[in-house]
Amino acid sequence: MRILHTSDWHLGRSFHRVSLLTAQRTFLDHLVETVRGRQVDAVLVAGDIYDRAVPPLAAVELFDDVLHRLADLGVPTVMISGNHDSARRLGVGSGLMRQAGIHLRTDPAACATPVLLDDEHGPVALYGLPYLEPAMVREELGARRADHAEVLGAAMDRVRADLADRPTGTRSVVLAHAFVTGGAVSDSERDITVGGVASVPAAVFDGVDYAALGHLHGAQTLSPRVRYSGSPLAYSFSEAGHRKSSWLVDLDAAGEVHAERVDCPVPRPLARLRGTLEQLLDDPALAAGEEAWVEATLTDSSRPHEPMARLAKRFPHIVSLVFDPDEGPARSLASYAQRLRGRSDQEIAEDFVEHVRAGRGADAGERAELRSAIDDVRVDDTVREVAR
């Protein structure tokens, strides 16, 4: 069986206030052409279909259009909700869509109910595990603790129990939206550290033939059977070095995985430039940036006059300007946002406590209180999103 594994479309997202709807439409055209041209048997979308719980109308129209086109091809599509999606909204109409071969998996309680497909070698069971918010699904899944490893482990126990009752030789695929240990992060992923440690071990997917993951935006192979497809477009400058692609996965009669990357269209390359204003304006080696979306970091010791306007004359697609002097007292203030990049809310809060107490950091009890307060806020935010 040939499967196209993709994820993290984030329909409706912009890039530094630049609309990406045209680029997302181009990707979806590419997706449909790949399905048609490469004889794909099933399409998997591992969450974060939309960029927010209440997407703009133009994003909904894109989604509606691609669903109709996939249904017209007669190729089954399995989708799960991610942490950016509203599971309840995304799941509306799923019963009717199922009749057209579009299978939306948004209910954690149904994680062990597979979509069953057949090829010449027999059945393939595709299990969709939507994003599992630990505090909200712990009781429903019977997990011992409200953390990511426990709730995903409990869901996978149900999957393995269902698979054990299937005919011998049934091959299995799981879609999941999670942060798996060993994956490389980027700046454009929403933090999912509610419930303590965000990551889960790859071993949680033991017992299935292929795990199609979503959430991290870089395509990654954690093992031959556990892969992230990554996002089809770059959503932050931290993804400047990414090769955006989907996985074309062939599952043979024995359940062995043979995977190939299918490159996605690149609407415009990304360029991260660093130097003084005059260096960026004059250096001929930076000519490629003239056609790219540009993030310019200026290292001048004092802020130049009208730097954005001057840079835009050479780099018409510049969208981000950062000041980071190579030396001088302004450096610590200019690089504050950079020093926070990649740090969790917990780490930032603990740093603040240490700063205001002149170097005395939080003790174990205080760290637990901070973690509990941060989790409560995030759970409240999630509940409000679901209720909207």
Side-chain angles (χ1 to χ4, degrees), residues 74 88 120 126 128 135 159 196-197 201 218 224 254 272 281 284 291 366 388:
R88 291 177 64 184
E120 65 271 25
L126 296 95
V159 167
V197 177
R272 307 184 88 170
L281 291 175
E291 299 299 324
E366 291 168 334
R388 285 174 64 185

Side-chain angles (χ1 to χ4, degrees), residues 154-203:
M156 282 302 303
D157 285 343
R158 294 187 176 194
V159 167
R160 282 185 284 264
D162 179 83
L163 189 58
D165 289 335
R166 299 281 166 189
T168 301
T170 299
R171 289 156 293 160
S172 56
V173 175
V174 166
L175 291 79
H177 195 87
F179 176 19
V180 178
T181 304
V185 302
S186 62
D187 293 342
S188 54
E189 298 134 5
R190 180 182 294 170
D191 184 24
I192 57 170
T193 53
V194 173
V197 177
S199 64
V200 301

Side-chain angles (χ1 to χ4, degrees), residues 75-91:
V75 176
T77 300
V78 184
M79 301 178 164
I80 60 172
S81 50
N83 59 303
H84 280 249
D85 298 310
S86 167
R88 291 177 64 184
R89 278 187 171 83
L90 189 62

Side-chain angles (χ1 to χ4, degrees), residues 7-10 13 47-48 50-51 83-84 131 177-180 182-193 198 213-220 228-239 242 244 341-345 378:
S7 73
D8 295 275
W9 293 355
H10 289 278
R13 187 163 186 154
D48 281 354
Y50 292 121
D51 189 56
N83 59 303
H84 280 249
Y131 170 66
H177 195 87
F179 176 19
V180 178
V185 302
S186 62
D187 293 342
S188 54
E189 298 134 5
R190 180 182 294 170
D191 184 24
I192 57 170
T193 53
L213 302 182
H215 179 57
L216 300 185
H217 288 182
Q220 300 168 60
Y228 282 100
S229 66
S231 60
L233 299 171
Y235 293 121
S236 71
F237 277 101
S238 66
E239 300 168 55
H242 287 189
K244 295 301 183 181
R341 184 175 296 163
R343 298 181 65 76
S344 68
D345 290 343
R378 288 179 174 161

